Amino acid sequence: MTSHQSTQTMKPATAAKKLGVYLEATPTEFQEGVVSRTELNALQTDPPEWLLELRRTGPHPRPVVAAKLGVSIAGLARGGVTEALTTEQIEALKKDLPEWLVKERATQAEVRKEAVRIKEKKAEQAEQARQPRS
């Protein structure tokens, strides 16, 4: 018996997410086709001009916008940002620094600080559990 391995494919939305781009801004042929694992790897290692341009100028999907602004996706929603933004729009927000952005960045900093505290506490507890009791 010979093993027949099928080509693994994904929907364009999944591929766009893995590439970190906004699906609606990709070329029509990308949006309407399927993407194989091989094609995705090729796009990642040797991106075509359209992909480079999208990554450079956007519009960017919300996870990318959130990362560039230093906030969570929920923080974007609380700030009223529900659509994809271009790099230019993101830079304008960074420059203008609206009140919601300052607040959400502070919230995100607290969340990160708490995550570090919890991680350190768990490491300390694990270390104590490894030590022999007398």
Side-chain angles (χ1 to χ4, degrees), residues 29-56:
E29 56 272 9
F30 181 86
Q31 292 178 38
E32 294 175 352
V34 292
V35 181
S36 71
R37 174 66 61 190
T38 305
E39 290 168 330
L40 179 69
N41 290 340
L43 287 169
Q44 289 172 325
T45 55
D46 187 22
E49 187 55 40
W50 66 263
L51 182 54
L52 293 172
E53 186 63 23
L54 262 182
R55 288 178 170 168
R56 191 172 29 255

Side-chain angles (χ1 to χ4, degrees), residues 1-19:
M1 244 165 93
T2 57
S3 171
H4 182 70
Q5 189 173 357
S6 63
T7 304
Q8 186 180 20
T9 61
M10 61 194 82
K11 294 177 182 177
T14 304
K17 188 174 183 179
K18 290 179 181 288
L19 293 169

Side-chain angles (χ1 to χ4, degrees), residues 1 6 13 46 57 63 68 83 87 89 91 104 111 125 129 132:
M1 244 165 93
S6 63
D46 187 22
T57 62
K68 287 179 180 269
E83 298 297 317
T87 301
Q89 291 169 313
E91 292 305 316
E104 290 301 332
V111 167
Q125 289 171 340

Side-chain angles (χ1 to χ4, degrees), residues 56-58 60 85-95:
R56 191 172 29 255
T57 62
H60 303 286
L85 298 180
T86 63
T87 301
E88 190 176 301
Q89 291 169 313
I90 293 168
E91 292 305 316
L93 278 172
K94 286 179 175 179
K95 185 179 175 209

Side-chain angles (χ1 to χ4, degrees), residues 104-130:
E104 290 301 332
R105 281 180 168 177
T107 299
Q108 190 69 7
E110 287 298 316
V111 167
R112 286 189 190 113
K113 204 159 71 173
E114 181 65 7
V116 168
R117 185 191 70 77
I118 290 170
K119 184 178 177 182
E120 289 171 350
K121 183 177 179 182
K122 284 183 180 180
E124 184 180 306
Q125 289 171 340
E127 183 61 34
Q128 287 175 352
R130 282 195 292 269

